[in-house]
Amino acid sequence: MKRMTQLLASSLVALSVASCGGSDELNTEPQAVLTEEQVSTAQNIDALVIATYSYLGNDHYTAPNYLWPTGDLRAGDAHKGGNGPSDIFAYHALSMFDPIVPDMESFPPDLIDLNNKKWTRNYTGISRANSALKVIAETPSDQLPEAAAKAAELRFVRAIFYFDLKIHHKHIPWIDETMTQTEVETASNRDYSDQELWDKIADDFRYGIENLPQVQADAGRASALSARAYLAKTLLYQAYEQDEMHNVVRIDQDKLEQVVSLVTEIEQSGVYALFDDYAKNFLVEFENGPESVFAIQRSLDDGSPDGRGSWPSALNAPMAGGFGCCGFHVPTENFVNAFKTGPDGLPEFTTYNDVQYNVETDYVDPRLDHTVAMEGKPFKYDPELIHGGDSWSRAPSIYGNFTGMKDLEHPDCDCRGENGPFPIFSLNTTLIRYADVLLWKAEALIELGRYEEARPIINQIRERASNSTARLQDASLYRVDIYPEFASQEEARQALRFERRLELGLEGHRFFDLVRWGIAKETLDAYFMVERTRKPYLEDAHFTKNKHEYLPIPNQQINLSGGIYEQNPGY
């Protein structure tokens, strides 16, 4: 995709607004600007497809496609960090829940509606896909023999944007290339039911399965296999049927069976595999490796004004160690404690958070030291770069001094760029990796009552974790073992849900898992009960069931719709 992004920069001139220096210039014909009609042609179709892909990487920490603010802060896995609650207050609101309102622009000092920015960026990406799909639909087939494959790529990327909107807001307007302007303007976010919206997203991924090659020469392009993976993910979410108040009321067994079949097909392809070392998933030299099913292809110095680097993580580097700013996305004590293991090498499901992790005496899953940097331990495996504790944190008295590492690289990496004090990396953002796919199958099998079939899958991932110590120091207290048996479906379910937290920690998935399973309220209540004794800023944090499972429809969007859009319950 890095090559694709460079191709875009050289082959397609974006629509722009000319800057005017005075009133006499207002009537000057703009120079070197292409109209939409000139750009949107069959000859430019691949550039239009690339422009749609590119928008996945056109995100920012105010509207990220790496979902750490909405997936980790709301799940009890990370504190906001930064310089205190007022430093990007909207992130603080996500951690506290009650301050979340439909008009997030009302919060000083930011006065920026991050909820609306994310919504707008998603629909801009959808608009790019729809515009290109219209070109394909209007082009005679003999002039565009690859029409179905190009349309499949566009529908794949469009469905990613819709999936993101769906897990954040639940009820969203569906806009596609077949609609007239009047139909777009009068579309409601209640035209389709919750389940019907999932069907629309699934249909886009099914089209990809039917019309894309099994694999692609360009790593960043959609393939039939990555479409299968996204369809499996969509069906897994859809299987947990919710009522209007977001309660899980039924688990669709047929959809779970489809998840199992889709993942089995992906396994049998032989294209993907787990890395031998967990660390390789988060190091730039191994990106687009066998575990990457689909990733946003990050790049620097690619011909675009600001590059397509890791802007969503621009605030997350520590305050020292050669970085400079800004100490956001701070792992919680609850999250760190979850990696503790017993003498048998298994998680301590019910007692892990009773006492703080002791680095000198506690057995621990090595995935902790691939995920969290902490005082006295190397950052990114460099024995010369030791985490300095409070000196690495911006507000240690509020949030503590842990540092999340998965989305950061070594400060001396050639992949590093800078924008002022903010470090940006060309490290890809992996949206789906193979371990995640395998755990979907394990989850579906467990909910189908076939939990002994799920156990080897979970154990495969745990065995990889056990073998991922070569880059770490002092392996004497690393202890991970496999599950010898599951005594019941409930025990298997508990193991699966814990494994997802450990394996995918700080990758932005956790909150959406909790909502899918229907356990967000009890999980967060238990988290707040203990964590507020460690971090007093959480004293007033409160999750309201039947409301906070989803973000509100942005107030600005309701106003722009003329009141057609309906607000989510509780807001």
Side-chain angles (χ1 to χ4, degrees):
M1 182 62 87
K2 292 177 174 61
R3 183 172 67 81
M4 293 167 62
T5 307
Q6 291 163 353
L7 173 62
L8 171 66
S10 61
S11 65
L12 181 64
V13 179
L15 299 177
S16 61
V17 178
S19 173
C20 301
S23 58
D24 290 341
E25 297 178 6
L26 290 175
N27 296 318
T28 301
E29 188 72 21
Q31 302 297 309
V33 176
L34 299 181
T35 67
E36 184 173 1
E37 290 73 19
Q38 289 173 308
V39 170
S40 299
T41 66
Q43 292 74 25
N44 282 331
I45 191 61
D46 199 48
L48 294 172
V49 172
I50 294 169
T52 306
Y53 279 113
S54 176
Y55 211 73
L56 285 171
N58 193 32
D59 53 345
H60 188 262
Y61 60 78
T62 57
N65 289 330
Y66 162 46
L67 302 181
W68 68 268
T70 51
D72 295 340
L73 302 188
R74 293 192 294 170
D77 281 3
H79 301 293
K80 175 185 76 69
N83 199 31
S86 64
D87 190 5
I88 307 190
F89 185 84
Y91 287 171
H92 177 73
L94 291 174
S95 299
M96 304 292 286
F97 287 102
D98 272 350
I100 298 172
V101 294
D103 182 12
M104 299 290 278
E105 194 174 37
S106 62
F107 288 140
D110 299 333
L111 301 177
I112 299 173
D113 192 336
L114 302 191
N115 189 33
N116 185 60
K117 283 178 70 71
K118 189 78 163 69
W119 175 289
T120 301
R121 286 194 178 224
N122 274 322
Y123 275 105
T124 301
I126 290 165
S127 178
R128 287 193 182 194
N130 287 342
S131 294
L133 285 165
K134 282 185 178 179
V135 173
I136 292 173
E138 295 167 359
T139 302
S141 57
D142 60 336
Q143 296 181 27
L144 193 61
E146 71 276 24
K150 296 301 182 187
E153 288 188 83
L154 291 163
R155 291 181 66 173
F156 175 94
V157 180
R158 179 175 72 181
I160 293 176
F161 288 119
Y162 270 124
F163 189 99
D164 187 84
L165 284 159
K166 187 77 175 66
I167 62 175
H168 282 92
H169 301 282
K170 188 174 184 176
H171 294 292
I172 54 174
W174 179 271
I175 310 295
D176 64 33
E177 76 284 5
T178 68
M179 298 169 67
T180 65
Q181 185 62 33
T182 298
E183 289 172 329
V184 170
E185 292 173 357
T186 57
S188 168
N189 65 328
R190 297 296 183 124
D191 288 338
Y192 296 97
S193 69
D194 181 39
Q195 285 290 305
E196 288 170 340
L197 280 168
W198 281 126
D199 287 338
K200 300 286 281 186
I201 295 169
D203 286 346
D204 272 358
F205 290 130
R206 285 194 178 95
Y207 190 85
I209 293 171
E210 295 165 359
N211 293 283
L212 288 168
Q214 186 85 334
V215 295
Q216 292 270 22
D218 288 319
R221 287 188 186 268
S223 69
L225 283 174
S226 57
R228 273 187 177 83
Y230 259 111
L231 178 59
K233 185 174 185 179
T234 300
L235 293 173
L236 183 64
Y237 272 74
Q238 186 179 14
Y240 293 84
E241 294 184 11
Q242 298 179 357
D243 63 18
E244 278 300 304
M245 300 306 294
H246 319 320
N247 301 299
V248 176
V249 294
R250 176 177 176 265
I251 302 179
D252 188 321
Q253 302 291 290
D254 178 65
K255 287 186 172 58
L256 295 178
E257 293 281 9
Q258 292 181 59
V259 172
V260 172
S261 296
L262 286 162
V263 176
T264 299
E265 292 170 4
I266 293 169
E267 291 177 283
Q268 292 173 345
S269 74
V271 171
Y272 305 111
L274 297 178
F275 274 123
D276 59 340
D277 186 347
Y278 185 70
K280 292 181 179 179
N281 285 292
F282 317 107
L283 295 170
V284 70
E285 62 262 39
F286 299 105
E287 62 187 15
N288 294 322
E291 197 163 339
S292 177
V293 177
F294 190 76
I296 297 174
Q297 303 293 306
R298 302 291 183 186
S299 56
L300 302 173
D301 301 322
D302 55 18
S304 60
D306 298 309
R308 291 294 182 270
S310 59
W311 283 95
S313 300
L315 302 178
N316 296 357
M319 300 299 294
F323 287 103
C325 198
C326 286
F328 281 70
H329 198 205
V330 179
T332 66
E333 281 81 354
N334 184 295
F335 177 72
V336 169
N337 291 339
F339 288 84
K340 293 189 296 184
T341 59
D344 59 359
L346 297 177
E348 299 177 323
F349 293 130
T350 59
T351 61
Y352 74 91
N353 200 40
D354 289 353
V355 295
Q356 296 281 53
Y357 165 57
N358 187 322
V359 68
E360 301 293 336
T361 60
D362 286 334
Y363 294 122
V364 70
D365 188 316
R367 285 175 290 191
L368 173 62
D369 288 341
H370 295 291
T371 305
V372 179
M374 59 187 66
E375 187 171 3
K377 291 193 176 187
F379 184 91
K380 283 290 185 179
Y381 322 113
D382 182 354
E384 303 299 320
L385 185 59
I386 302 300
H387 193 288
D390 285 1
S391 67
W392 280 42
S393 174
R394 197 170 178 191
S397 63
I398 301 175
Y399 304 114
N401 61 28
F402 296 140
T403 301
M405 283 196 296
K406 285 183 174 179
D407 57 322
L408 303 175
E409 253 289 3
H410 193 284
D412 296 335
C413 179
D414 290 342
C415 63
R416 174 178 172 169
E418 290 184 350
N419 186 283
F422 309 119
I424 312 297
F425 301 96
S426 63
L427 180 68
N428 285 353
T429 300
T430 302
L431 299 182
I432 294 181
R433 58 184 177 89
Y434 189 54
D436 195 7
V437 176
L438 294 177
L439 288 172
W440 300 336
K441 182 178 179 179
E443 180 179 336
L445 287 168
I446 290 167
E447 296 305 326
L448 288 166
R450 296 158 57 185
Y451 49 86
E452 271 302 302
E453 294 177 59
R455 187 167 58 88
I457 299 173
I458 298 172
N459 283 343
Q460 177 186 359
I461 290 170
R462 292 184 65 77
E463 286 173 340
R464 192 268 295 275
S466 180
N467 294 327
S468 298
T469 59
R471 286 178 167 81
L472 306 176
Q473 292 185 340
D474 187 14
S476 61
L477 289 174
Y478 295 127
R479 183 164 296 188
V480 176
D481 211 338
I482 63 173
Y483 292 98
E485 63 177 351
F486 289 143
S488 65
Q489 183 186 43
E490 182 54 39
E491 184 178 295
R493 184 181 290 127
Q494 185 178 48
L496 177 280
R497 292 176 178 181
F498 219 87
E499 199 65 29
R500 283 191 62 82
R501 190 182 193 193
L502 302 177
E503 175 67 22
L504 303 167
L506 302 188
E507 295 178 44
H509 301 293
R510 175 70 171 168
F511 181 77
F512 308 105
D513 285 346
L514 298 178
V515 172
R516 179 172 81 251
W517 298 327
I519 63 170
K521 172 63 174 175
E522 52 263 46
T523 302
L524 287 161
D525 281 356
Y527 162 71
F528 288 135
M529 183 172 64
V530 177
E531 199 77 8
R532 64 169 49 103
T533 68
R534 301 165 177 165
K535 298 291 180 285
Y537 87 90
L538 290 170
E539 179 61 34
D540 295 326
H542 177 74
F543 181 93
T544 300
K545 187 175 174 61
N546 306 135
K547 173 183 178 180
H548 287 136
E549 289 87 354
Y550 294 93
L551 294 174
I553 308 301
N555 195 59
Q556 185 173 343
Q557 298 304 319
I558 293 177
N559 291 340
L560 289 171
S561 77
I564 294 175
Y565 295 173
E566 293 183 26
Q567 187 54 270
N568 283 330
Y571 291 104

